[in-house]
Amino acid sequence: MGGDDDGVRAEPGRSVTSKVLALLDAFSPATPALTLSELARRTGMPLPTVYRRAAELVAWGALERGDDGRYRIGLRLWEVGSLAPRGLGLRELALPVMEDLYEVTHENVQLAVRQGLELVFIERIAGRHAVPVLTRVGGRFALHATGVGLVLLAHAPAEVQEQVLAAPLERYTELTITDPRRLRRCLAEVRRAGYAVSDRQVTMDALSVAAPIRVPEGVVAAISLVVAHDRADPVALAPLVQAAGRVVSRALNNATGPAV
Amino acid sequence: MGGDDDGVRAEPGRSVTSKVLALLDAFSPATPALTLSELARRTGMPLPTVYRRAAELVAWGALERGDDGRYRIGLRLWEVGSLAPRGLGLRELALPVMEDLYEVTHENVQLAVRQGLELVFIERIAGRHAVPVLTRVGGRFALHATGVGLVLLAHAPAEVQEQVLAAPLERYTELTITDPRRLRRCLAEVRRAGYAVSDRQVTMDALSVAAPIRVPEGVVAAISLVVAHDRADPVALAPLVQAAGRVVSRALNNATGPAV
DNA sequence: CTGGCGCTTTCACTGGGTGAAAGCCGAAGC
DNA sequence: GCTTCGGCTTTCACCCAGTGAAAGCGCCAG
């Protein structure tokens, strides 16, 4: 048999639901718009199948189809997605605080939560005169490099930490921590200090200072400032970020009764 | 009220996809967390069916299941949703401008697009010392009352305008425009002036000033300031909002090549 | 005119989906 | 302790929604 396929293999007999979800999976920040055949190729499903499923998704609003025939994620899906618990309570409560932080510093302000072994950026205020950051809202990133990542990892369940420490740590710059033992010491220091500094560990021009956001059960999110590394004084910024973290923590604890 | 809602009726033989989407539909700002039986009741589907579909959605991350057994929208869905075209390009470009507007005024800044016969709030900066607004990001609202709504409606395709004008116009306050002929005149005035003012037409304490965001094809979004009606000077605010709208328009036109 | 590409529709077959019913589990009541 | 009850999970035999090869369509380039 010719072995020239590259995309996801189509397991015969996969459930309809998984097909629908596979279609959504095909979209990514790098490929936010796909033609029918691209979708078919990426999901490994026959073209007519993709056609029918996609048509249903378009009818509901989960996908949109542009004049160019390409499919995109639909506004309706965004709408439903914004009901995600962290999208809701946390984001709404944190945004005013992030604005304050931005107004004081005019630097990039970021808010992230951990999901599995990665972090997801929930919100970001991108200072127009600040260093450009390559992350985007809704984007994922490794836990071991960014400021928010270090905070989230430092306060994650032990098993999560072990899994991250066991896997190879990707290197982004020459300052990225890739030695598990050094990372372990770094995490201990983050817990002790109550904040994390990532100095040029993601890009060589930026430095970030991050602080945890806590509920009684533990740390649910992290907030950070990203600044140019050569005009940065992490020690001066830390109290600001920590204070912001505490304000959001307090707001969260007051607001949410039962569920996070 | 409306506590007795039967939710969506189950047509026998509806497609699996529609069942999956019906599950997502069951979630709303008012009901962001649902038990299995609530889901079954709201969608009109048998409990085992809901159980299986929901399990698949949880496995993928479209839903999450809390310790309390309730289902919530999952972070993964939010992540995919944030790839929606308006969620992406527009929001990212508009946010810095919205921040500037907030910094100058310290009032609520809102960004909305039209979807069908309603508007959807894409982004909002809620001034902590400004009037509280009841809308939320990801939430929908009628087109005929708010400032953004009037702008979006005034520049919507004729058929959309006719549909809105033909349907009964819900009254929110005694100042809400509910007479189609008056609304029609109002829309003409919005087009002429290049901005819209909604004075106490949604709540009796707030007033909003909105301006369009344009691409060559037409108006794709609207930006607005919401302020306390008694300290408002719409005529003074209008140029600010219009300027913000123009800045975003320009950014959009530069950034987006092929697709909006 | 022809060939190629990408999308849409058809059609007969089949296995994933169905839902009634039975099992399970923990909490509240006796 | 035992029982009931409500809500969740699993089973099972039936069957129609979904399937995908193949044919049809529309468009553009050569």
Side-chain angles (χ1 to χ4, degrees):
Chain A
M1 305 298 222
D4 62 329
D5 356 81
D6 38 3
V8 183
R9 288 293 300 119
E11 296 306 323
R14 65 203 287 200
S15 78
V16 176
T17 307
S18 82
K19 291 182 189 178
V20 169
L21 296 174
L23 285 181
L24 299 182
D25 251 337
F27 294 90
S28 72
T31 57
L34 297 166
T35 66
L36 185 61
S37 1
E38 282 170 341
L39 267 175
R41 191 158 28 78
R42 287 178 158 261
T43 55
M45 301 194 282
L47 215 132
T49 301
V50 174
Y51 176 71
R52 283 180 300 238
R53 295 283 75 79
E56 284 190 281
L57 288 171
V58 169
W60 186 80
L63 295 182
E64 287 173 3
R65 192 157 199 192
D67 300 332
D68 55 358
R70 281 163 190 272
Y71 294 92
R72 282 162 237 274
I73 296 293
L75 200 52
R76 184 81 188 85
L77 197 66
W78 173 81
E79 219 181 307
V80 175
S82 65
L83 295 174
R86 286 99 208 273
L88 189 59
L90 175 62
R91 183 187 170 285
E92 310 264 302
L93 292 168
L95 199 51
V97 179
M98 294 174 69
E99 282 149 21
D100 291 348
L101 206 48
Y102 174 72
E103 241 178 286
V104 174
T105 61
H106 283 91
E107 303 285 359
N108 302 291
V109 185
Q110 297 189 312
L111 179 71
V113 301
R114 181 177 63 81
Q115 202 197 20
L117 302 183
E118 295 180 298
L119 63 84
V120 177
F121 288 103
I122 291 293
E123 186 53 273
R124 182 181 109 198
I125 297 182
R128 277 189 296 176
H129 310 299
V131 260
V133 279
L134 23 70
T135 56
R136 28 165 270 112
V137 171
R140 298 162 158 276
F141 211 85
L143 285 171
H144 68 277
T146 64
V148 276
L150 292 172
V151 167
L152 292 171
L153 186 55
H155 297 90
E159 69 198 64
V160 171
Q161 295 189 22
E162 292 314 318
Q163 280 184 269
V164 171
L165 286 161
L169 299 167
E170 192 173 346
R171 173 181 294 283
Y172 301 101
T173 72
E174 51 195 271
L175 292 176
T176 306
I177 301 178
T178 55
D179 174 21
R181 280 168 309 182
R182 247 193 86 207
L183 182 54
R184 205 183 287 273
R185 281 198 301 278
C186 176
L187 294 178
E189 175 59 18
V190 168
R191 277 187 295 267
R192 195 196 59 72
Y195 68 91
V197 177
S198 158
D199 187 0
R200 288 165 287 173
Q201 289 164 28
V202 180
T203 60
M204 282 309 278
D205 56 357
L207 169 156
S208 75
V209 184
I213 292 173
R214 302 166 188 277
V215 294
E217 296 79 31
V219 170
V220 291
I223 188 169
S224 78
L225 276 176
V226 182
V227 303
H229 96 274
D230 51 10
R231 67 175 173 212
D233 179 359
V235 180
L237 291 176
L240 273 179
V241 182
Q242 284 182 292
R246 277 194 299 270
V247 172
V248 179
S249 302
R250 208 170 306 131
L252 257 186
N253 293 328
N254 292 341
T256 61
V260 180
Chain B
M1 279 178 294
D4 57 1
D5 77 28
D6 293 334
V8 186
R9 288 293 304 124
E11 298 305 322
R14 64 204 286 201
S15 79
V16 176
T17 308
S18 82
K19 290 183 188 177
V20 169
L21 297 174
L23 285 182
L24 298 183
D25 252 337
F27 294 89
S28 71
T31 57
L34 298 167
T35 66
L36 186 62
S37 1
E38 282 169 342
L39 267 175
R41 192 164 40 74
R42 288 181 155 258
T43 56
M45 300 194 282
L47 215 131
T49 300
V50 174
Y51 176 71
R52 283 180 300 239
R53 296 283 74 81
E56 283 190 282
L57 288 170
V58 168
W60 186 79
L63 295 181
E64 286 173 4
R65 193 158 197 189
D67 301 330
D68 54 357
R70 281 161 190 275
Y71 293 93
R72 283 163 237 274
I73 296 295
L75 201 51
R76 184 81 188 84
L77 198 66
W78 173 79
E79 221 181 306
V80 174
S82 64
L83 295 174
R86 286 98 209 273
L88 188 59
L90 175 61
R91 182 187 170 286
E92 310 264 299
L93 291 168
L95 198 51
V97 179
M98 294 173 69
E99 282 150 22
D100 292 347
L101 206 47
Y102 175 73
E103 241 178 283
V104 174
T105 61
H106 283 92
E107 303 284 359
N108 303 290
V109 185
Q110 298 188 311
L111 179 72
V113 301
R114 181 177 63 81
Q115 202 198 20
L117 303 183
E118 296 181 297
L119 63 84
V120 177
F121 287 104
I122 292 292
E123 188 50 275
R124 182 182 106 196
I125 296 181
R128 277 191 295 177
H129 310 300
V131 258
V133 280
L134 23 70
T135 56
R136 28 165 270 113
V137 170
R140 297 163 158 273
F141 210 87
L143 285 171
H144 68 278
T146 64
V148 276
L150 291 171
V151 167
L152 292 170
L153 185 55
H155 298 90
E159 68 197 66
V160 171
Q161 295 190 22
E162 293 312 319
Q163 281 183 271
V164 171
L165 286 161
L169 299 167
E170 192 173 343
R171 171 181 295 284
Y172 300 101
T173 72
E174 54 195 86
L175 291 177
T176 306
I177 301 177
T178 54
D179 174 20
R181 281 169 309 185
R182 246 193 87 208
L183 181 54
R184 205 183 287 273
R185 281 198 302 277
C186 175
L187 295 178
E189 175 59 18
V190 168
R191 277 187 295 268
R192 194 197 60 73
Y195 67 89
V197 177
S198 158
D199 186 0
R200 286 166 288 173
Q201 287 163 30
V202 179
T203 59
M204 282 311 276
D205 56 357
L207 169 156
S208 76
V209 184
I213 292 174
R214 303 165 187 277
V215 292
E217 297 78 33
V219 170
V220 290
I223 188 171
S224 76
L225 275 177
V226 182
V227 303
H229 96 275
D230 50 11
R231 66 176 174 211
D233 179 0
V235 179
L237 291 176
L240 273 180
V241 182
Q242 285 182 290
R246 276 193 300 269
V247 172
V248 179
S249 301
R250 210 170 305 131
L252 255 186
N253 293 327
N254 291 341
T256 62
V260 181

